[in-house]
Amino acid sequence: MKADVLLGLQWGDEGKGKAVDVLAPSYNWIARFQGGPNAGHTLWLDGNKIVLHTIPSGIFREDCMNLIGNGVVIHPPSLLQEIKALRQHGLNFVGKLMISAKAHLILPGHRLLDQAYESAKGDHKIGSTLRGIGPAYTDKYARHGLRYGDMAGAQGAALFGAAHEEHLRQIKTLGFELPTDLPNQVQEWIDAVNELLSDFSPSDGSWLLNQALDKGQKILAEGAQGSLLDVEFGAYPFVTSSHTTSASACTGLGIAPNRIGNVYGLFKAYCTRVGSGPFPTELHDQTGETLRRAGQEFGATTGRPRRCGWLDLPALAYAIRLSGVNQLIITKADILSGFEEIKIATRYQGLDNHLSPYPDNSSECIPEYKSFPGWNLAPSQSYSNRQQLPQNLQTYLNYLEDQLNLPIRWISLGPERTQVLECH
Ligand code: GDP
Ligand code: IMO
Ligand code: MG
């Protein structure tokens, strides 16, 4: 058996939470492999909105195990809060959630360092979610990070103390003022780790997943952020601090490349981006505003307005190439309903087509567009297969499949788990 991967092909917020929740009944395991609580994955269940930040999006499906993999960075108070909120929804975590012993922890100082670095950048801010992601991964790769499993050992408290002291030293060097409630934050952090450890013993995630595959069980690796925010292949430095492409599922879970099966690439029918950085098809006009309002494009983690623009074929082809995507999922085609004209950027000026090498400095790219007539959708339950969709939407989907040379497997037409069409 092989593990499938689902990841975002744009700048995040493509609808990964919803898509994973839809696919989860076909899987035994859902495993997050990178990122941390900078992610906000939204699920709508019978009119209730749930936003997951660190917990995998299979948690609401019975008989589905969920793993927070070694590649994820965990902020214990946030994770505990997330678990407690879900328990209030009646969710029972016993035997359903595993946490890798090797997952690194986000310490209180990491969050302060994130703020200190961003404010030092002045006009050149990355637009980080300020969740401490960058500094936590920095410590991991500098080889003085702290892992979930380390906190279960006798040395846990001492290791935390030393790391915290070092963070305080760095923060002072940067001239950043410490918050007056820092001692409370530290205590809350320690209490949260202890509470998590008492309910969730640190696991060997890689062993669990490889055993599951040996037994013929099915695994879906859930990506966070999006391909264009990848630390290696995004528009550096306007990226996150982890690898968001499919290769990261191997290192972030301990699964070998030859055990990866399908790679689902998810994209919105238009583009959004939160934070700074290049966005070639961004709309600064009324159409962009209309998209933001129609799509309720406000960050699931920070509430910030998302920048909006047309679909970008060169960027999409680049992301597909980086991850070996073999199945596409399109979301939010319903949001374009009612638009008279819909555009797709088909290439950047000066480049042959959307399959040309993707430019490193995409901020200087001028896109050329192809125009499509819009469509009007009836409520999503009116459609039980793709052939029933408005002809103009079918033309748009067929064009994308043709240009990207890949099948669209799922079409999401609303936020609820029922609002989706599977294409055969
Ligand atoms: P994620 O980070 O990729 O999981 O995406 P977010 O949850 O941050 O943002 C996606 C938003 O779109 C959420 O509010 C979802 O509820 C919503 N959503 C997902 N798929 C669809 C869809 O097909 N149509 C509509 N209208 N909303 C959707
Ligand atoms: P999901 O999983 C959208 C963006 C931030 C910022 C940059 C760096 O919900 O799709 P960081 O906090 O990682 O230091 O921020 O990356 N970013 C996201 N944008 N969706 C996300 O996650 C994101 N996670 C980080 O806005 O531009
Ligand atoms: Mg999100």
Side-chain angles (χ1 to χ4, degrees):
M1 195 52 77
K2 297 198 173 194
D4 295 340
V5 182
L6 183 148
L7 47 79
L9 296 176
Q10 296 163 323
W11 287 278
D13 305 329
E14 298 90 350
K16 296 176 290 293
K18 179 206 160 149
V20 170
D21 174 58
V22 166
L23 295 182
S26 313
Y27 289 91
N28 304 95
W29 286 83
I30 304 295
R32 269 280 303 270
F33 56 90
Q34 44 72 232
N38 48 351
H41 295 182
T42 313
L43 279 64
W44 280 89
L45 306 176
D46 298 325
N48 292 312
K49 181 181 178 180
I50 289 137
V51 182
L52 299 172
H53 300 284
T54 306
I55 296 173
S57 302
I59 199 74
F60 283 95
R61 296 295 192 175
E62 241 172 80
D63 304 326
C64 202
M65 296 289 289
N66 292 266
L67 172 75
I68 299 173
N70 56 277
V72 174
V73 283
I74 298 171
H75 182 248
S78 309
L79 175 57
L80 188 64
Q81 197 184 10
E82 209 174 315
I83 289 169
K84 284 185 171 167
L86 294 185
R87 278 190 179 132
Q88 281 181 354
H89 279 271
L91 205 72
N92 180 6
F93 283 89
V94 177
K96 279 200 72 157
L97 180 69
M98 310 295 236
I99 305 176
S100 168
K102 290 182 165 46
H104 277 248
L105 298 175
I106 302 174
L107 274 57
H110 287 139
R111 291 206 155 183
L112 298 173
L113 282 166
D114 218 357
Q115 290 173 36
Y117 288 135
E118 272 288 73
S119 54
K121 283 194 161 76
D123 290 341
H124 304 284
K125 288 188 184 10
I126 286 164
S128 165
T129 60
L130 303 178
R131 295 302 189 265
I133 307 295
Y137 278 115
T138 302
D139 274 358
K140 171 175 174 169
Y141 289 104
R143 296 165 296 178
H144 39 69
L146 193 57
R147 300 171 304 171
Y148 185 59
D150 297 332
M151 289 305 292
Q155 295 300 312
L159 289 169
F160 171 79
H164 184 61
E165 282 306 312
E166 172 57 20
H167 291 157
L168 292 183
R169 195 191 61 73
Q170 290 172 21
I171 293 161
K172 280 188 195 132
T173 312
L174 290 163
F176 192 75
E177 210 174 306
L178 294 176
T180 49
D181 71 339
L182 185 57
N184 294 342
Q185 288 183 32
V186 168
Q187 193 55 51
E188 187 198 12
W189 192 96
I190 292 168
D191 292 346
V193 171
N194 289 333
E195 204 170 329
L196 286 172
L197 283 170
S198 72
D199 284 355
F200 306 94
S201 303
S203 301
D204 184 338
S206 168
W207 188 82
L208 287 172
L209 294 186
N210 279 287
Q211 282 285 108
L213 290 175
D214 289 346
K215 283 192 255 167
Q217 294 191 348
K218 292 189 72 187
I219 296 169
L220 181 64
E222 173 180 0
Q225 289 77 57
S227 307
L228 304 174
L229 288 171
D230 183 90
V231 66
E232 200 86 33
F233 295 104
Y236 195 88
F238 300 102
V239 293
T240 189
S241 294
S242 68
H243 297 278
T244 57
T245 52
S246 59
S248 185
C250 295
T251 54
L253 295 174
I255 297 176
N258 62 359
R259 298 202 95 167
I260 298 294
N262 288 318
V263 182
Y264 294 99
L266 195 74
F267 66 103
K268 277 183 206 181
Y270 50 95
C271 286
T272 62
R273 173 165 204 166
V274 209
S276 326
F279 183 175
T281 61
E282 182 169 12
L283 289 162
H284 298 280
D285 57 7
Q286 190 51 44
T287 311
E289 195 52 49
T290 309
L291 269 177
R292 184 174 309 114
R293 215 169 344 103
Q296 293 173 26
E297 296 296 354
F298 297 90
T301 296
T302 57
R304 291 178 292 175
R306 295 174 180 151
R307 299 154 66 192
C308 297
W310 294 122
L311 195 61
D312 183 333
L313 218 48
L316 210 48
Y318 175 55
I320 287 169
R321 194 157 68 230
L322 291 172
S323 284
V325 169
N326 66 343
Q327 316 244 357
L328 295 171
I329 302 175
I330 184 168
T331 62
K332 295 196 133 178
D334 55 304
I335 298 302
L336 296 180
S337 177
F339 278 68
E340 222 165 88
E341 182 191 29
I342 288 159
K343 292 186 185 177
I344 298 178
T346 54
R347 67 170 191 137
Y348 297 155
Q349 274 179 21
L351 297 180
D352 287 342
N353 56 39
H354 64 280
L355 299 174
S356 301
Y358 195 77
D360 193 38
N361 191 353
S362 51
S363 64
E364 286 164 15
C365 293
I366 302 171
E368 287 183 358
Y369 294 95
K370 180 174 167 60
S371 177
F372 291 80
W375 52 81
N376 283 301
L377 276 168
S380 61
Q381 56 271 30
S382 322
Y383 306 106
S384 54
N385 64 56
R386 176 171 170 170
Q387 288 66 38
Q388 294 170 345
L389 291 171
Q391 192 52 53
N392 287 349
L393 173 51
Q394 289 194 48
T395 306
Y396 179 89
L397 298 172
N398 294 342
Y399 174 81
L400 289 173
E401 284 183 325
D402 191 45
Q403 294 297 309
L404 298 169
N405 200 20
L406 283 178
I408 295 178
R409 269 296 305 280
W410 296 85
I411 303 167
S412 173
L413 294 172
E416 288 275 352
R417 51 163 65 146
T418 49
Q419 295 177 297
V420 67
L421 291 179
E422 186 172 6
C423 310
H424 297 283

